[in-house]
Amino acid sequence: GAVVSQHPSWVICKSGTSVKIECRSLDFQATTMFWYRQFPKQSLMLMATSNEGSKATYEQGVEKDKFLINHASLTLSTLTVTSAHPEDSSFYICSARRDREGSYEQYFGPGTRLTVT
Amino acid sequence: GQQLNQSPQSMFIQEGEDVSMNCTSSSIFNTWLWYKQDPGEGPVLLIALYKAGELTSNGRLTAQFGITRKDSFLNISASIPSDVGIYFCAGQLGFSGGYNKLIFGAGTRLAVHP
């Protein structure tokens, strides 16, 4: 159990276009999902917390109008990178929090490699 | 903000050796999690710890939640080549609101020579 998928696994887009990344919890419901960004040889940087049925909470320095998050159901959150630029190229990883009595474990998706040309 | 100090940054060991890495913080955490990340993939949860002093094993892996709730360690016994990867510790301050997000260490890169 506790499987999280992401789609697509990689994407190449032209500068100025928008890209949508999906994150799904396959075998559990997740009221809370998280979006991270990871640069080569660095740790994960939290971008935003996605809550089902409410607005996402963005970390300081993350533009909410550029990185649109929608958590429409208990198993799906989407991240849309709007008007992408080469500096947005990165590895984007989502996680879903499985809430069980006494434990709140986060399970990560396999990541999406975004390259903006 | 809160920070986790993870050490060592990297390790190069021979197959069969034991490995130990740790994380420390100035903040008190309610949860400690240890993840392993392979290149180009997302982190995989190895062990979750919820109580101060808790010692938990997962196969050849053993992790402990420090008594002060400010530190944790991960041990890998009898390392094998597939243990290669980056190991991250992560702490969680609480379970609701802004406290449910994870704070990650910088990672420990493990290389195992056969």
Side-chain angles (χ1 to χ4, degrees), chain A residues 32 34 36 38 40-44 46 49 51 59 91 93 97 102-111 113, chain B residues 31 33 35 37 40-45 48 50 86 88 92 94-97 100-102 104-107 109:
Chain A
T32 306
F34 303 86
Y36 296 83
Q38 187 178 34
K41 297 186 177 182
Q42 292 190 22
S43 189
L44 288 77
L46 180 64
T49 302
N51 300 293
E59 295 300 300
F91 192 51
I93 314 174
R97 195 180 80 173
S103 68
Y104 302 86
E105 299 155 358
Q106 282 191 35
Y107 293 88
F108 285 82
R113 174 74 59 190
Chain B
T31 304
L33 304 169
Y35 292 88
Q37 185 178 28
E41 298 183 13
V44 173
L45 181 63
Y50 297 99
I86 304 175
F88 290 102
Q92 183 171 286
F95 307 119
S96 63
N100 63 23
K101 58 186 180 183
L102 292 180
F104 279 85
R109 293 179 176 274

Side-chain angles (χ1 to χ4, degrees), chain A residues 39-109:
Chain A
F39 292 105
K41 297 186 177 182
Q42 292 190 22
S43 189
L44 288 77
M45 182 189 77
L46 180 64
M47 298 175 66
T49 302
S50 172
N51 300 293
E52 188 268 336
S54 64
K55 292 183 178 180
T57 303
Y58 290 81
E59 295 300 300
Q60 189 173 10
V62 178
E63 301 175 58
K64 62 180 181 181
D65 294 330
K66 180 169 184 61
F67 298 100
L68 301 178
I69 292 173
N70 183 23
H71 195 151
S73 76
L74 289 173
T75 59
L76 173 65
S77 176
T78 60
L79 169 69
T80 301
V81 183
T82 62
S83 186
H85 289 92
E87 57 265 31
D88 297 325
S89 298
S90 188
F91 192 51
Y92 292 87
I93 314 174
C94 72
S95 73
R97 195 180 80 173
R98 184 175 69 176
D99 298 344
R100 295 190 298 185
E101 185 175 347
S103 68
Y104 302 86
E105 299 155 358
Q106 282 191 35
Y107 293 88
F108 285 82

Side-chain angles (χ1 to χ4, degrees), chain B residues 22-91:
Chain B
N22 69 83
C23 277
T24 61
S25 174
S26 58
S27 300
I28 293 175
F29 290 99
N30 284 342
T31 304
W32 282 95
L33 304 169
W34 285 92
Y35 292 88
K36 178 177 183 277
Q37 185 178 28
D38 292 327
E41 298 183 13
V44 173
L45 181 63
L46 299 174
I47 293 178
L49 303 161
Y50 297 99
K51 298 179 182 178
E54 179 181 356
L55 183 70
T56 298
S57 293
N58 178 8
R60 293 180 294 107
L61 278 62
T62 301
Q64 185 161 31
F65 194 147
I67 290 292
T68 64
R69 295 167 63 192
K70 295 182 178 181
D71 63 307
S72 177
F73 71 75
L74 174 70
N75 288 341
I76 305 173
S77 63
S79 59
I80 59 178
S82 62
D83 290 334
V84 167
I86 304 175
Y87 292 80
F88 290 102
C89 65

